[in-house]
């Protein structure tokens, strides 16, 4: 899988999250390693979600992992906290804000199940 294919898929996954009730600003950069290597960011701003294929310099946290790991997290098949414990996901930056990423994944997963 190429980076472009992976980014398109993961953007579709993240855009399913309902962030309309999120009032704080969250900005995450994802550094994908291995197959489909590349960088993109996810930002929640004023209740809207943005996913763009660029570096984000004013980010709260950086998540570093392989494409397969992030796909499993986005699909709700792998808990992000467990991924950190298993050393499949590395997090740098503001840990409090990084933990809110799990809430975004949960919002997306619960919306999918409806």
């Amino acid at each position: 899988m190429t980076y472009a294919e992976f980014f398109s898929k993961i953007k579709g996954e993240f855009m399913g999250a309902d962030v309309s009730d999120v009032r704080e600003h969250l900005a995450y950069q994802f550094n994908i390693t291995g197959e489909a290597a590349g960088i993109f960011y996810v930002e929640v701003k004023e209740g809207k979600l943005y996913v763009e294929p660029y570096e984000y310099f004013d980010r709260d946290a950086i998540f570093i992992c392989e494409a397969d790991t992030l796909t499993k997290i986005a699909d709700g098949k792998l808990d992000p906290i467990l991924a950190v414990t298993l050393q499949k996901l590395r997090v740098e930056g503001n840990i409090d804000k990084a933990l809110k990423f799990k809430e975004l994944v949960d919002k997306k997963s619960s919306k999918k199940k409806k």
Side-chain angles (χ1 to χ4, degrees), residues 94-111:
N94 183 321
I95 297 302
D96 289 334
K97 289 211 175 186
L99 287 169
K100 294 185 190 265
F101 172 65
K102 181 175 174 9
E103 294 174 25
L104 295 180
V105 171
D106 290 345
K107 284 176 182 281
K108 186 194 69 61
S109 297
S110 66
K111 185 177 178 183

Side-chain angles (χ1 to χ4, degrees), residues 29-72:
Q29 179 173 304
F30 291 83
N31 293 1
I32 305 303
T33 60
E35 183 184 359
I39 294 173
F40 69 94
Y41 74 87
V42 174
E43 178 182 31
V44 179
K45 182 178 180 179
E46 298 172 0
K48 293 186 179 161
L49 182 69
Y50 303 89
V51 181
E52 297 297 334
Y54 311 110
E55 256 185 284
Y56 194 98
F57 294 102
D58 193 22
R59 61 198 169 242
D60 297 309
I62 299 175
F63 295 97
I64 304 157
C65 64
E66 293 188 356
D68 183 56
T69 299
L70 187 56
T71 299
K72 288 177 184 174

